[in-house]
Amino acid sequence: MDQVLATASADGTVKLWALQDFSCLKTFEGHDASVLKVAFVSRGTQLLSSGSDGLVKLWTIKNNECVKTLDAHEDKVWGLHCNRLDDYALTGASDSCVILWKDVTETEQAEEQAKKEAQVVKQQELDNLLQEKRYLRALGLAISLDRPHTVLTVIQAIRRDPEACEKLEATVLRLRRDQKEALLRFCVTWNTNSRHCHEAQAVLGVLLRHEAPEELLAYEGVRASLEALMPYTERHFQRLSRTLQAATFLDFLWHNMKLPTLPVAPSAL
């Protein structure tokens, strides 16, 4: 595509040279041993290199970044060849293996795009469920997305309901066990923030009041979760205790304060 030359060297680097003035344009460092082969791929925008360390590396020329390392050979990779469409590469090494590689970048990008579209659809469905106050389905859907902040939004919506306590208990207790385990993990994240600790403590209160100790101890990762919850919970209660003491003191001052009698304004005749 351009008037450039790529070279592989025993110093472990790949270099890009300009053929007009023979200056070094780029240096690619990442191999732990000699680089034995190098080839242009992706219409000249990337380089594929193989080395004595048994690795095949894919480089993006624009930013000198190694975007992929292929580790399938156990010895020096002497042979490297790409087809004209740049969608297949063939490597041969001293480990007596010849490996055919296929470029799946477009497939992965399509899968990622489909995943993003599915996330948008689920988010819209979640908004609709919250609008209809169908909290159980909304919470289950939010947990399936595996996003603690989204689950927190659902818990906050439940706690804004006039019958918050009853709704929260009914919703949490009807979840499956794996969903309760995920909810407990999310509580650990929320509990580290003083703005969200109330939601975490509300969910914990439901689980501790209604789940048998044997069932809670059978949850996956429950011991690590409890160990992470305890120090922040103690800190939150200490902050609440200090606030309560200050409020009590202000209340005491207010009730024992002797206000001077205000002069009565003369009434007009």
Side-chain angles (χ1 to χ4, degrees):
M1 304 300 290
D2 296 314
Q3 294 296 312
V4 293
L5 177 72
T7 58
S9 173
D11 61 3
T13 65
V14 175
K15 290 183 180 290
L16 208 61
W17 306 83
L19 294 181
Q20 291 182 348
D21 56 4
F22 305 107
S23 62
C24 180
L25 302 175
K26 299 270 188 179
T27 299
F28 304 87
E29 299 180 355
H31 282 282
D32 295 329
S34 301
V35 185
L36 304 175
K37 288 282 186 177
V38 64
F40 285 100
V41 293
S42 303
R43 296 183 177 88
T45 61
Q46 292 181 307
L47 289 171
L48 196 63
S49 64
S50 63
S52 297
D53 51 8
L55 301 178
V56 177
K57 290 182 176 289
L58 180 65
W59 308 85
T60 298
I61 294 176
K62 185 177 181 180
N63 54 14
N64 286 47
E65 182 182 359
C66 177
V67 295
K68 194 74 174 179
T69 298
L70 307 174
D71 185 8
H73 288 289
E74 297 179 358
D75 207 340
K76 299 177 181 179
V77 184
W78 289 101
L80 172 65
H81 180 74
C82 303
N83 67 341
R84 291 184 177 180
L85 297 177
D86 288 341
D87 55 349
Y88 284 94
L90 192 68
T91 57
S94 298
D95 56 3
S96 303
C97 290
V98 174
I99 298 178
L100 180 65
W101 306 89
K102 181 181 179 181
D103 184 5
V104 293
T105 303
E106 293 184 359
T107 304
E108 291 180 349
Q109 289 176 347
E111 291 176 352
E112 186 66 24
Q113 182 63 29
K115 189 181 297 184
K116 289 180 180 179
E117 292 175 356
Q119 293 277 6
V120 171
V121 172
K122 286 185 176 181
Q123 184 64 46
Q124 183 60 51
E125 182 182 356
L126 178 62
D127 294 339
N128 295 338
L129 291 172
L130 289 176
Q131 186 69 25
E132 299 168 4
K133 295 187 177 182
R134 299 167 65 183
Y135 296 128
L136 180 61
R137 287 197 58 186
L139 188 57
L141 179 60
I143 292 173
S144 69
L145 294 174
D146 195 28
R147 294 191 300 204
H149 183 72
T150 304
V151 180
L152 176 65
T153 303
V154 178
I155 297 297
Q156 289 173 338
I158 297 175
R159 296 187 73 236
R160 286 193 295 268
D161 193 278
E163 300 176 353
C165 295
E166 294 79 5
K167 292 287 180 66
L168 184 62
E169 288 185 2
T171 303
V172 171
L173 295 177
R174 290 176 62 186
L175 293 173
R176 300 192 310 269
R177 175 172 166 175
D178 61 313
Q179 293 175 324
K180 292 178 182 178
E181 291 173 352
L183 193 58
L184 184 61
R185 292 195 302 270
F186 296 154
C187 285
V188 174
T189 303
W190 305 337
N191 202 49
T192 59
N193 191 323
S194 59
R195 292 181 298 174
H196 305 147
C197 66
H198 302 288
E199 286 76 14
Q201 294 297 324
V203 172
L204 285 173
V206 172
L207 293 175
L208 292 174
R209 285 195 303 270
H210 297 279
E211 293 285 316
E214 296 79 11
E215 295 180 2
L216 283 174
L217 290 174
Y219 282 12
E220 183 181 355
V222 66
R223 297 184 185 276
S225 297
L226 291 176
E227 289 178 358
L229 284 165
M230 287 177 62
Y232 283 97
T233 300
E234 291 177 358
R235 191 179 303 173
H236 297 322
F237 273 108
Q238 289 173 2
R239 188 178 67 254
L240 288 174
S241 297
R242 291 193 298 268
T243 303
L244 181 61
Q245 289 175 1
T248 303
F249 181 68
L250 286 175
D251 185 64
F252 173 77
L253 288 179
W254 174 256
H255 285 90
N256 291 273
M257 189 179 296
K258 294 182 179 179
L259 297 176
T261 304
L262 296 175
V264 179
S267 57
L269 296 176

